[in-house]
Coordinates of all heavy atoms in Angstrom, one line a residue:
M1 N 0.8 -1.2 0.0 CA 0.0 0.0 0.0 C 0.9 1.3 0.0 O 0.6 2.2 -0.7 CB -0.9 0.0 1.2 CG -1.9 1.1 1.3 SD -3.1 0.9 0.0 CE -4.3 2.0 0.6
K2 N 2.0 1.2 0.7 CA 2.9 2.3 0.8 C 3.5 2.6 -0.5 O 3.6 3.8 -1.0 CB 4.0 2.0 1.8 CG 4.8 3.2 2.2 CD 5.7 2.9 3.4 CE 6.4 4.1 3.9 NZ 7.3 3.8 5.0
D3 N 3.9 1.6 -1.3 CA 4.5 1.8 -2.6 C 3.4 2.3 -3.6 O 3.8 3.2 -4.4 CB 5.0 0.4 -3.2 CG 6.2 0.0 -2.5 OD1 6.9 0.8 -1.9 OD2 6.6 -1.2 -2.6
R4 N 2.2 1.9 -3.4 CA 1.1 2.4 -4.3 C 0.9 3.9 -4.1 O 0.7 4.6 -5.0 CB -0.1 1.6 -4.0 CG -1.2 1.7 -5.0 CD -2.2 0.7 -4.8 NE -3.4 1.1 -5.5 CZ -4.6 0.6 -5.4 NH1 -4.7 -0.4 -4.5 NH2 -5.6 1.0 -6.1
N5 N 0.9 4.3 -2.8 CA 0.8 5.8 -2.5 C 1.9 6.6 -3.1 O 1.7 7.7 -3.6 CB 0.6 6.0 -1.0 CG -0.8 5.6 -0.5 OD1 -1.7 5.5 -1.3 ND2 -0.9 5.4 0.8
L6 N 3.1 6.0 -3.0 CA 4.3 6.7 -3.5 C 4.2 6.9 -5.0 O 4.5 8.0 -5.5 CB 5.6 5.9 -3.1 CG 6.9 6.6 -3.5 CD1 7.0 8.0 -2.8 CD2 8.0 5.7 -3.0
S7 N 3.8 5.8 -5.7 CA 3.7 5.9 -7.1 C 2.6 6.9 -7.5 O 2.8 7.7 -8.5 CB 3.3 4.5 -7.7 OG 4.4 3.6 -7.5
R8 N 1.5 6.9 -6.8 CA 0.4 7.8 -7.1 C 0.9 9.2 -6.9 O 0.6 10.1 -7.7 CB -0.8 7.5 -6.2 CG -2.0 8.3 -6.4 CD -3.2 7.8 -5.6 NE -4.3 8.7 -5.8 CZ -4.7 9.6 -5.0 NH1 -4.0 9.8 -3.9 NH2 -5.7 10.4 -5.3
R9 N 1.6 9.5 -5.8 CA 2.2 10.8 -5.5 C 3.1 11.3 -6.7 O 3.1 12.4 -7.1 CB 2.9 10.8 -4.2 CG 2.3 11.9 -3.3 CD 3.0 11.9 -1.9 NE 2.7 10.8 -1.1 CZ 3.5 10.1 -0.4 NH1 4.8 10.4 -0.3 NH2 3.1 9.0 0.3
R10 N 4.0 10.3 -7.1 CA 4.9 10.7 -8.2 C 4.2 11.0 -9.5 O 4.5 12.0 -10.2 CB 5.9 9.5 -8.4 CG 7.0 9.4 -7.4 CD 8.0 8.4 -7.7 NE 9.0 8.3 -6.7 CZ 9.6 7.2 -6.4 NH1 9.4 6.1 -7.0 NH2 10.5 7.1 -5.4
F11 N 3.2 10.2 -9.8 CA 2.4 10.4 -11.0 C 1.7 11.8 -10.9 O 1.8 12.6 -11.9 CB 1.3 9.4 -11.2 CG 0.4 9.7 -12.3 CD1 0.7 9.5 -13.6 CD2 -0.9 10.2 -12.0 CE1 -0.2 9.8 -14.6 CE2 -1.8 10.5 -13.0 CZ -1.4 10.3 -14.3
L12 N 1.1 12.1 -9.8 CA 0.4 13.4 -9.6 C 1.3 14.6 -9.7 O 1.1 15.6 -10.3 CB -0.4 13.4 -8.3 CG -1.6 12.5 -8.3 CD1 -2.3 12.5 -6.9 CD2 -2.7 12.8 -9.3
S13 N 2.5 14.4 -9.1 CA 3.5 15.4 -9.2 C 4.0 15.7 -10.6 O 4.1 16.8 -11.1 CB 4.7 15.0 -8.3 OG 5.7 16.0 -8.4
S14 N 4.3 14.6 -11.3 CA 4.7 14.8 -12.7 C 3.6 15.4 -13.6 O 3.9 16.3 -14.4 CB 5.1 13.4 -13.3 OG 6.1 12.9 -12.6
A15 N 2.4 14.9 -13.4 CA 1.3 15.5 -14.2 C 1.1 17.0 -13.9 O 0.8 17.8 -14.8 CB 0.0 14.7 -13.8
A16 N 1.2 17.4 -12.6 CA 1.1 18.8 -12.2 C 2.2 19.6 -12.9 O 1.9 20.7 -13.4 CB 1.1 18.9 -10.7
K17 N 3.4 19.1 -12.9 CA 4.5 19.9 -13.5 C 4.3 20.0 -15.0 O 4.5 21.1 -15.6 CB 5.8 19.2 -13.2 CG 6.3 19.3 -11.8 CD 7.5 18.5 -11.5 CE 7.9 18.4 -10.1 NZ 8.9 17.5 -9.7
G18 N 3.8 19.0 -15.6 CA 3.5 19.0 -17.1 C 2.4 20.0 -17.4 O 2.5 20.7 -18.3
A19 N 1.4 20.0 -16.5 CA 0.2 20.9 -16.8 C 0.7 22.3 -16.6 O 0.2 23.2 -17.3 CB -0.9 20.6 -15.8
V20 N 1.6 22.6 -15.7 CA 2.1 24.0 -15.5 C 3.0 24.4 -16.6 O 2.9 25.5 -17.1 CB 2.8 24.1 -14.1 CG1 3.6 25.4 -14.0 CG2 1.9 23.9 -13.0
A21 N 3.8 23.5 -17.1 CA 4.8 23.9 -18.1 C 4.2 23.9 -19.5 O 4.6 24.7 -20.4 CB 5.9 22.9 -18.1
A22 N 3.2 23.1 -19.8 CA 2.7 23.0 -21.2 C 2.2 24.3 -21.8 O 2.5 24.6 -23.0 CB 1.5 22.0 -21.2
P23 N 1.5 25.2 -21.1 CA 1.1 26.4 -21.8 C 2.2 27.3 -22.2 O 2.1 28.2 -23.1 CB 0.2 27.1 -20.7 CG -0.1 26.0 -19.7 CD 1.0 25.1 -19.8
F24 N 3.4 27.2 -21.6 CA 4.5 28.0 -21.9 C 5.4 27.5 -23.0 O 6.2 28.3 -23.6 CB 5.4 28.2 -20.6 CG 4.6 28.9 -19.5 CD1 4.1 28.2 -18.4 CD2 4.4 30.3 -19.6 CE1 3.4 28.8 -17.4 CE2 3.6 30.9 -18.6 CZ 3.2 30.2 -17.5
I25 N 5.3 26.3 -23.4 CA 6.1 25.8 -24.4 C 5.9 26.5 -25.8 O 6.9 26.9 -26.4 CB 5.9 24.2 -24.6 CG1 6.5 23.6 -23.3 CG2 6.6 23.7 -25.8 CD1 6.2 22.1 -23.2
P26 N 4.7 26.7 -26.2 CA 4.6 27.5 -27.5 C 5.1 28.9 -27.4 O 5.7 29.4 -28.3 CB 3.1 27.5 -27.7 CG 2.6 26.3 -26.9 CD 3.5 26.2 -25.8
L27 N 5.0 29.6 -26.3 CA 5.5 30.9 -26.1 C 7.0 30.9 -26.2 O 7.6 31.8 -26.8 CB 5.0 31.5 -24.8 CG 3.5 31.7 -24.6 CD1 3.2 32.2 -23.2 CD2 3.0 32.7 -25.7
V28 N 7.6 29.9 -25.6 CA 9.1 29.9 -25.7 C 9.5 29.7 -27.1 O 10.5 30.3 -27.6 CB 9.6 28.7 -24.8 CG1 11.1 28.5 -25.1 CG2 9.4 29.0 -23.3
N29 N 8.9 28.8 -27.9 CA 9.2 28.6 -29.3 C 9.0 29.9 -30.1 O 9.9 30.2 -30.9 CB 8.4 27.5 -29.9 CG 8.9 26.1 -29.3 OD1 10.0 26.0 -28.8 ND2 8.0 25.1 -29.4
I30 N 8.0 30.6 -29.9 CA 7.7 31.8 -30.7 C 8.8 32.8 -30.3 O 9.4 33.5 -31.2 CB 6.3 32.4 -30.4 CG1 5.3 31.4 -31.0 CG2 6.2 33.8 -30.9 CD1 3.9 31.7 -30.5
A31 N 9.0 33.0 -29.0 CA 10.0 34.0 -28.6 C 11.4 33.6 -29.2 O 12.1 34.5 -29.7 CB 10.1 34.0 -27.1
S32 N 11.8 32.4 -29.2 CA 13.1 32.0 -29.7 C 13.2 32.2 -31.2 O 14.3 32.6 -31.7 CB 13.5 30.6 -29.3 OG 12.6 29.7 -29.9
A33 N 12.1 32.0 -31.9 CA 12.1 32.2 -33.4 C 12.4 33.7 -33.7 O 13.1 34.0 -34.6 CB 10.9 31.7 -34.0
Q34 N 11.8 34.6 -32.9 CA 11.9 36.0 -33.1 C 13.3 36.5 -32.7 O 13.8 37.5 -33.2 CB 10.8 36.7 -32.4 CG 9.5 36.5 -32.9 CD 8.4 37.1 -32.1 OE1 8.6 37.4 -30.9 NE2 7.2 37.3 -32.6
D35 N 13.9 35.8 -31.8 CA 15.2 36.2 -31.2 C 16.4 35.6 -31.8 O 17.5 35.7 -31.4 CB 15.2 36.0 -29.7 CG 14.1 36.8 -29.0 OD1 13.7 37.8 -29.5 OD2 13.7 36.4 -27.9
L36 N 16.2 34.8 -32.9 CA 17.3 34.2 -33.5 C 18.3 35.2 -34.0 O 17.9 36.2 -34.6 CB 16.8 33.3 -34.7 CG 16.1 32.1 -34.4 CD1 15.6 31.4 -35.7 CD2 16.9 31.1 -33.7
P37 N 19.6 34.9 -33.9 CA 20.6 35.9 -34.5 C 20.5 35.8 -36.0 O 20.2 34.8 -36.6 CB 21.9 35.3 -34.0 CG 21.6 33.9 -33.7 CD 20.2 33.8 -33.2
Q38 N 20.7 37.0 -36.6 CA 20.7 37.1 -38.0 C 21.9 36.4 -38.6 O 23.0 36.6 -38.1 CB 20.6 38.5 -38.5 CG 19.4 39.2 -38.0 CD 19.3 40.7 -38.3 OE1 20.3 41.3 -38.8 NE2 18.2 41.3 -37.9
V39 N 21.7 35.6 -39.6 CA 22.9 35.0 -40.3 C 23.8 36.1 -40.9 O 23.3 37.0 -41.5 CB 22.4 33.9 -41.3 CG1 21.8 34.6 -42.5 CG2 23.6 33.1 -41.7
S40 N 25.0 35.9 -40.9 CA 26.0 36.8 -41.5 C 26.2 36.4 -42.9 O 26.3 35.2 -43.2 CB 27.3 36.8 -40.7 OG 28.3 37.4 -41.5
E41 N 26.4 37.4 -43.8 CA 26.7 37.0 -45.2 C 28.0 36.4 -45.3 O 28.3 35.8 -46.3 CB 26.6 38.3 -46.1 CG 25.2 38.8 -46.2 CD 25.1 40.1 -47.1 OE1 26.1 40.6 -47.4 OE2 24.0 40.5 -47.4
S42 N 28.9 36.5 -44.3 CA 30.2 35.9 -44.3 C 30.2 34.5 -43.6 O 31.2 33.9 -43.6 CB 31.2 36.8 -43.7 OG 30.9 37.0 -42.3
D43 N 29.0 34.1 -43.2 CA 28.9 32.7 -42.6 C 29.3 31.7 -43.7 O 28.9 31.9 -44.9 CB 27.4 32.5 -42.2 CG 27.2 31.1 -41.7 OD1 27.1 30.2 -42.6 OD2 26.9 30.9 -40.5
P44 N 30.1 30.7 -43.4 CA 30.6 29.8 -44.4 C 29.5 29.2 -45.3 O 29.6 29.1 -46.5 CB 31.3 28.7 -43.6 CG 31.8 29.4 -42.4 CD 30.7 30.4 -42.1
T45 N 28.4 28.8 -44.7 CA 27.2 28.3 -45.4 C 26.6 29.4 -46.3 O 26.3 29.1 -47.5 CB 26.2 27.7 -44.5 OG1 26.7 26.7 -43.7 CG2 25.0 27.1 -45.3
A46 N 26.5 30.6 -45.8 CA 26.0 31.7 -46.6 C 26.9 32.0 -47.8 O 26.4 32.2 -48.9 CB 25.9 33.0 -45.7
V47 N 28.2 32.0 -47.6 CA 29.1 32.2 -48.7 C 29.0 31.1 -49.7 O 28.9 31.4 -50.9 CB 30.6 32.3 -48.1 CG1 31.6 32.3 -49.3 CG2 30.8 33.5 -47.3
A48 N 28.9 29.8 -49.3 CA 28.8 28.7 -50.2 C 27.5 28.8 -51.0 O 27.5 28.4 -52.2 CB 28.8 27.4 -49.4
L49 N 26.5 29.3 -50.4 CA 25.2 29.4 -51.1 C 24.9 30.8 -51.7 O 23.8 31.1 -52.2 CB 24.0 29.1 -50.1 CG 24.0 27.6 -49.5 CD1 22.9 27.5 -48.5 CD2 23.8 26.6 -50.7
Q50 N 25.9 31.7 -51.6 CA 25.9 33.0 -52.2 C 24.7 33.8 -51.6 O 24.0 34.6 -52.2 CB 25.8 33.0 -53.7 CG 27.0 32.3 -54.3 CD 26.8 32.1 -55.8 OE1 26.2 32.9 -56.5 NE2 27.4 31.1 -56.4
Y51 N 24.4 33.5 -50.3 CA 23.3 34.2 -49.6 C 23.6 35.7 -49.5 O 24.7 36.1 -49.1 CB 23.0 33.6 -48.2 CG 22.1 34.4 -47.4 CD1 20.7 34.3 -47.5 CD2 22.6 35.3 -46.5 CE1 19.9 35.1 -46.8 CE2 21.8 36.2 -45.7 CZ 20.4 36.0 -45.9 OH 19.6 36.8 -45.1
K52 N 22.6 36.5 -49.7 CA 22.6 38.0 -49.5 C 21.3 38.4 -48.8 O 20.3 37.8 -49.0 CB 22.7 38.7 -50.8 CG 24.0 38.4 -51.5 CD 25.2 39.0 -50.8 CE 26.5 38.7 -51.6 NZ 27.7 38.9 -50.8
H53 N 21.4 39.3 -47.9 CA 20.3 39.9 -47.2 C 19.3 40.5 -48.2 O 18.1 40.6 -47.9 CB 20.6 40.9 -46.1 CG 21.5 40.3 -45.0 ND1 21.3 39.1 -44.4 CD2 22.6 40.8 -44.4 CE1 22.3 38.9 -43.5 NE2 23.1 39.9 -43.5
D54 N 19.8 41.1 -49.2 CA 19.0 41.8 -50.2 C 19.1 41.1 -51.6 O 20.1 41.1 -52.2 CB 19.6 43.2 -50.3 CG 18.7 44.1 -51.3 OD1 17.8 43.6 -51.9 OD2 19.1 45.3 -51.4
A55 N 18.0 40.5 -51.9 CA 18.0 39.7 -53.2 C 18.2 40.5 -54.4 O 18.7 40.0 -55.4 CB 16.6 39.0 -53.3
T56 N 18.0 41.8 -54.3 CA 18.2 42.7 -55.5 C 19.7 42.9 -55.7 O 20.1 43.4 -56.8 CB 17.5 44.1 -55.3 OG1 18.2 44.8 -54.2 CG2 16.1 44.0 -55.1
Q57 N 20.5 42.5 -54.8 CA 22.0 42.6 -55.0 C 22.6 41.3 -55.5 O 23.8 41.1 -55.5 CB 22.7 42.9 -53.6 CG 22.2 44.2 -53.0 CD 22.4 45.4 -53.9 OE1 23.5 45.6 -54.4 NE2 21.3 46.2 -54.1
T58 N 21.7 40.4 -56.0 CA 22.1 39.1 -56.5 C 21.6 38.9 -57.9 O 20.9 39.8 -58.5 CB 21.5 37.9 -55.7 OG1 20.1 37.9 -55.9 CG2 21.8 38.1 -54.2
A59 N 22.0 37.8 -58.5 CA 21.6 37.5 -59.9 C 20.2 36.8 -59.9 O 19.7 36.4 -60.9 CB 22.6 36.6 -60.5
A60 N 19.5 36.7 -58.7 CA 18.2 36.1 -58.6 C 17.1 36.8 -59.4 O 17.1 38.1 -59.4 CB 17.8 35.9 -57.2
P61 N 16.2 36.1 -60.0 CA 15.1 36.8 -60.6 C 14.4 37.6 -59.5 O 14.3 37.1 -58.3 CB 14.2 35.6 -61.1 CG 15.2 34.5 -61.3 CD 16.2 34.7 -60.3
T62 N 13.9 38.7 -59.8 CA 13.3 39.6 -58.7 C 12.2 39.0 -57.9 O 12.1 39.4 -56.7 CB 12.8 40.9 -59.4 OG1 11.9 40.6 -60.4 CG2 14.0 41.8 -59.9
E63 N 11.5 38.1 -58.4 CA 10.4 37.6 -57.6 C 10.8 36.5 -56.6 O 10.0 36.1 -55.8 CB 9.3 37.0 -58.6 CG 9.6 35.7 -59.2 CD 10.5 35.9 -60.5 OE1 10.9 37.0 -60.8 OE2 10.8 34.8 -61.1
R64 N 12.1 36.1 -56.7 CA 12.6 35.1 -55.8 C 13.2 35.7 -54.6 O 14.3 36.4 -54.7 CB 13.6 34.2 -56.5 CG 12.9 33.4 -57.6 CD 13.9 32.4 -58.2 NE 13.2 31.6 -59.2 CZ 13.8 30.7 -59.9 NH1 15.1 30.4 -59.7 NH2 13.2 30.1 -60.9
T65 N 12.7 35.5 -53.4 CA 13.2 36.0 -52.1 C 13.0 34.9 -51.1 O 12.2 33.9 -51.3 CB 12.6 37.2 -51.6 OG1 11.2 36.9 -51.3 CG2 12.7 38.4 -52.6
C66 N 13.7 35.0 -50.0 CA 13.5 34.0 -48.9 C 12.0 33.9 -48.5 O 11.6 32.8 -48.2 CB 14.4 34.4 -47.7 SG 16.2 34.3 -48.0
A67 N 11.4 35.1 -48.5 CA 10.0 35.1 -48.1 C 9.1 34.1 -48.9 O 8.1 33.6 -48.3 CB 9.4 36.5 -48.2
N68 N 9.4 33.8 -50.1 CA 8.6 32.9 -50.9 C 9.3 31.6 -51.2 O 8.9 30.9 -52.2 CB 8.0 33.6 -52.1 CG 9.1 34.1 -53.1 OD1 10.2 33.6 -53.1 ND2 8.8 35.1 -53.9
C69 N 10.4 31.3 -50.5 CA 11.1 30.1 -50.7 C 10.5 28.9 -49.8 O 10.0 29.2 -48.7 CB 12.6 30.3 -50.2 SG 13.6 28.8 -50.2
L70 N 10.6 27.8 -50.4 CA 10.1 26.6 -49.7 C 10.7 26.3 -48.4 O 10.1 25.8 -47.4 CB 10.3 25.4 -50.6 CG 9.8 24.0 -50.1 CD1 8.3 24.0 -49.9 CD2 10.3 22.9 -51.0
L71 N 12.0 26.7 -48.2 CA 12.7 26.4 -47.0 C 12.6 27.5 -45.9 O 13.1 27.3 -44.8 CB 14.2 26.2 -47.4 CG 14.5 25.1 -48.4 CD1 15.9 25.1 -48.8 CD2 14.0 23.8 -47.9
Y72 N 11.9 28.6 -46.2 CA 11.8 29.7 -45.3 C 10.7 29.3 -44.3 O 9.6 28.8 -44.7 CB 11.4 31.0 -46.0 CG 11.3 32.2 -45.2 CD1 12.5 32.7 -44.6 CD2 10.1 32.8 -44.9 CE1 12.4 33.9 -43.8 CE2 10.0 34.0 -44.2 CZ 11.2 34.5 -43.6 OH 11.1 35.6 -42.8
Q73 N 10.9 29.6 -43.0 CA 9.9 29.3 -42.0 C 9.5 30.5 -41.2 O 8.9 30.3 -40.1 CB 10.6 28.2 -41.0 CG 11.0 26.9 -41.8 CD 11.7 26.0 -40.9 OE1 12.6 26.4 -40.1 NE2 11.3 24.7 -40.9
G74 N 9.7 31.6 -41.7 CA 9.3 32.8 -41.0 C 7.8 33.2 -41.2 O 7.2 32.7 -42.1
D75 N 7.3 34.1 -40.4 CA 6.0 34.5 -40.6 C 5.9 35.4 -41.8 O 6.9 36.0 -42.3 CB 5.6 35.4 -39.4 CG 5.4 34.6 -38.1 OD1 5.2 33.3 -38.2 OD2 5.6 35.1 -37.0
A76 N 4.7 35.4 -42.4 CA 4.5 36.1 -43.7 C 4.9 37.6 -43.6 O 5.4 38.1 -44.6 CB 3.1 35.9 -44.2
D77 N 4.7 38.2 -42.5 CA 4.9 39.6 -42.3 C 6.2 40.0 -41.6 O 6.5 41.1 -41.3 CB 3.7 40.3 -41.7 CG 3.5 39.7 -40.3 OD1 4.0 38.7 -40.0 OD2 2.7 40.4 -39.5
A78 N 7.0 39.0 -41.3 CA 8.3 39.2 -40.6 C 9.4 39.6 -41.5 O 9.4 39.1 -42.7 CB 8.7 37.9 -39.8
E79 N 10.3 40.4 -41.1 CA 11.4 40.8 -41.9 C 12.5 39.8 -41.9 O 13.3 39.7 -42.8 CB 12.0 42.2 -41.4 CG 11.0 43.3 -41.7 CD 11.6 44.7 -41.3 OE1 12.8 44.8 -41.3 OE2 10.8 45.6 -41.0
W80 N 12.6 39.0 -40.8 CA 13.5 37.9 -40.7 C 12.9 36.7 -40.2 O 11.8 36.8 -39.5 CB 14.6 38.3 -39.6 CG 15.5 39.5 -40.1 CD1 15.1 40.8 -40.0 CD2 16.7 39.4 -40.7 NE1 16.1 41.6 -40.5 CE2 17.2 40.7 -41.0 CE3 17.6 38.4 -41.1 CZ2 18.4 41.0 -41.6 CZ3 18.8 38.7 -41.7 CH2 19.2 40.0 -41.9
G81 N 13.4 35.5 -40.6 CA 12.8 34.3 -40.1 C 13.8 33.1 -40.3 O 14.8 33.2 -41.0
P82 N 13.4 32.0 -39.7 CA 14.3 30.8 -39.8 C 14.3 30.2 -41.2 O 13.3 30.4 -41.9 CB 13.6 29.8 -38.8 CG 12.7 30.6 -38.0 CD 12.3 31.8 -38.8
C83 N 15.4 29.6 -41.5 CA 15.5 28.9 -42.8 C 16.0 27.5 -42.4 O 16.9 27.4 -41.6 CB 16.5 29.6 -43.7 SG 17.0 28.6 -45.1
Q84 N 15.6 26.5 -43.1 CA 16.0 25.1 -42.8 C 17.5 24.9 -43.1 O 18.1 24.0 -42.5 CB 15.2 24.2 -43.7 CG 13.7 24.1 -43.3 CD 12.9 23.2 -44.2 OE1 13.4 22.2 -44.6 NE2 11.7 23.5 -44.4
L85 N 18.1 25.8 -43.9 CA 19.5 25.6 -44.2 C 20.4 26.3 -43.2 O 21.6 26.1 -43.2 CB 19.8 26.1 -45.6 CG 19.1 25.3 -46.7 CD1 19.6 25.8 -48.1 CD2 19.4 23.8 -46.6
F86 N 19.8 27.2 -42.4 CA 20.6 27.9 -41.4 C 20.0 27.7 -40.0 O 19.4 28.6 -39.4 CB 20.6 29.4 -41.7 CG 21.3 29.7 -43.0 CD1 20.6 29.9 -44.2 CD2 22.7 29.8 -43.1 CE1 21.2 30.2 -45.4 CE2 23.4 30.1 -44.3 CZ 22.6 30.3 -45.4
P87 N 20.2 26.5 -39.4 CA 19.6 26.2 -38.1 C 20.1 27.1 -37.1 O 21.3 27.4 -37.0 CB 20.1 24.7 -37.8 CG 20.7 24.2 -39.1 CD 21.0 25.4 -40.0
G88 N 19.2 27.7 -36.3 CA 19.5 28.5 -35.2 C 19.8 30.0 -35.6 O 20.2 30.8 -34.8
K89 N 19.6 30.3 -36.8 CA 19.8 31.7 -37.3 C 18.6 32.1 -38.2 O 17.8 31.3 -38.6 CB 21.1 31.7 -38.1 CG 22.3 31.4 -37.3 CD 23.5 31.5 -38.1 CE 24.7 31.2 -37.1 NZ 25.9 31.0 -37.9
A90 N 18.5 33.4 -38.3 CA 17.4 34.0 -39.2 C 18.0 34.5 -40.4 O 19.1 35.1 -40.5 CB 16.7 35.0 -38.4
V91 N 17.2 34.4 -41.5 CA 17.6 35.0 -42.8 C 16.6 36.1 -43.1 O 15.5 36.2 -42.5 CB 17.6 33.9 -43.9 CG1 18.6 32.8 -43.7 CG2 16.2 33.4 -44.1
A92 N 17.0 37.0 -43.9 CA 16.2 38.2 -44.3 C 15.1 37.7 -45.2 O 15.3 37.0 -46.2 CB 17.0 39.3 -44.9
A93 N 13.8 38.1 -45.0 CA 12.7 37.8 -45.8 C 13.0 38.3 -47.3 O 12.6 37.7 -48.2 CB 11.4 38.4 -45.3
A94 N 13.8 39.4 -47.3 CA 14.1 40.0 -48.6 C 15.4 39.4 -49.2 O 15.9 39.8 -50.3 CB 14.3 41.5 -48.5
G95 N 15.9 38.4 -48.5 CA 17.2 37.8 -49.0 C 17.0 36.7 -50.0 O 15.9 36.5 -50.5
W96 N 18.1 36.1 -50.4 CA 18.1 35.0 -51.4 C 19.4 34.2 -51.3 O 20.4 34.8 -50.9 CB 17.9 35.6 -52.8 CG 18.0 34.6 -53.9 CD1 16.9 33.9 -54.4 CD2 19.1 34.2 -54.7 NE1 17.4 33.1 -55.4 CE2 18.7 33.3 -55.6 CE3 20.5 34.6 -54.6 CZ2 19.6 32.7 -56.5 CZ3 21.4 34.0 -55.5 CH2 20.9 33.1 -56.5
C97 N 19.3 33.0 -51.7 CA 20.5 32.2 -51.9 C 20.3 31.2 -53.0 O 19.1 31.1 -53.5 CB 20.9 31.5 -50.6 SG 20.1 29.9 -50.3
T98 N 21.3 30.5 -53.5 CA 21.2 29.6 -54.6 C 20.4 28.4 -54.4 O 20.1 27.7 -55.3 CB 22.6 29.2 -55.1 OG1 23.3 28.6 -54.0 CG2 23.4 30.4 -55.6
A99 N 20.1 28.1 -53.1 CA 19.2 27.0 -52.8 C 17.7 27.3 -52.8 O 16.9 26.4 -52.5 CB 19.6 26.4 -51.4
W100 N 17.4 28.5 -53.2 CA 16.0 28.9 -53.3 C 15.2 27.8 -54.0 O 15.6 27.3 -55.0 CB 15.8 30.2 -54.0 CG 14.4 30.7 -54.1 CD1 13.8 31.6 -53.2 CD2 13.4 30.4 -55.0 NE1 12.5 31.8 -53.5 CE2 12.2 31.1 -54.7 CE3 13.4 29.6 -56.2 CZ2 11.0 31.0 -55.4 CZ3 12.2 29.5 -56.9 CH2 11.0 30.2 -56.5
A101 N 14.0 27.5 -53.5 CA 13.2 26.5 -54.1 C 11.7 27.0 -54.0 O 11.3 27.6 -53.1 CB 13.3 25.2 -53.3
A102 N 11.0 26.7 -55.1 CA 9.6 27.2 -55.2 C 8.7 26.5 -54.3 O 8.9 25.3 -54.0 CB 9.2 27.0 -56.7
Q103 N 7.8 27.2 -53.7 CA 6.8 26.5 -52.9 C 5.8 25.8 -53.8 O 5.6 26.2 -54.9 CB 6.0 27.6 -52.1 CG 6.9 28.3 -51.1 CD 6.2 29.4 -50.3 OE1 5.1 29.8 -50.7 NE2 6.9 29.9 -49.3
P104 N 5.2 24.7 -53.3 CA 4.3 23.9 -54.2 C 3.0 24.7 -54.5 O 2.7 25.6 -53.8 CB 4.0 22.7 -53.3 CG 4.4 23.0 -51.9 CD 5.4 24.1 -52.0
Ligands
SF4_201 FE1 16.5 32.1 -48.3 FE2 15.5 29.8 -49.3 FE3 18.1 30.3 -49.4 FE4 16.9 29.8 -47.0 S1 17.1 28.4 -48.8 S2 18.4 31.4 -47.5 S3 14.9 30.8 -47.3 S4 16.5 31.4 -50.5

């Protein structure tokens, strides 16, 4: 009986901690996406992909920017957002690189 009460207490404690933490998880993710450091144009991956913050300074067709790239994960109205090729960093919505891919 003593073991059963201990298990029950542990379960209730874990459930309570999860219930308290769960509402904050989405907020943490949103905040971290907005606070990502901006990728540098001199970043080795950026150099390899010829990434520029301003697509008009590249040979890219004018309609191609990070904002309409398949790999861009930023909000539609954000100036910067995550890109799958630059984990932990943000690219400019107005930027471009040679890995640009059309959205379906
Ligand atoms: Fe921009 Fe797409 Fe290149 Fe990422 S892969 S830097 S979103 S053009």
Side-chain angles (χ1 to χ4, degrees):
M1 184 67 166
K2 193 173 185 177
D3 286 343
R4 196 169 161 191
N5 283 340
L6 184 59
S7 293
R8 182 171 179 261
R9 235 181 288 139
R10 283 185 182 152
F11 170 78
L12 291 174
S13 175
S14 296
K17 288 175 187 168
V20 169
F24 296 104
I25 290 171
L27 294 176
V28 169
N29 287 339
I30 290 168
S32 63
Q34 292 173 343
D35 296 337
L36 287 176
Q38 298 174 357
V39 68
S40 167
E41 290 179 352
S42 61
D43 176 286
T45 303
V47 171
L49 296 174
Q50 300 174 32
Y51 168 82
K52 296 292 179 194
H53 299 316
D54 181 357
T56 64
Q57 303 300 308
T58 70
T62 53
E63 73 279 2
R64 293 185 182 182
T65 64
C66 292
N68 60 24
C69 174
L70 178 65
L71 304 176
Y72 186 69
Q73 299 174 315
D75 292 335
D77 59 346
E79 291 184 27
W80 293 81
C83 165
Q84 293 178 31
L85 297 185
F86 295 96
K89 296 182 181 166
V91 298
W96 176 86
C97 84
T98 55
W100 182 93
Q103 296 176 348

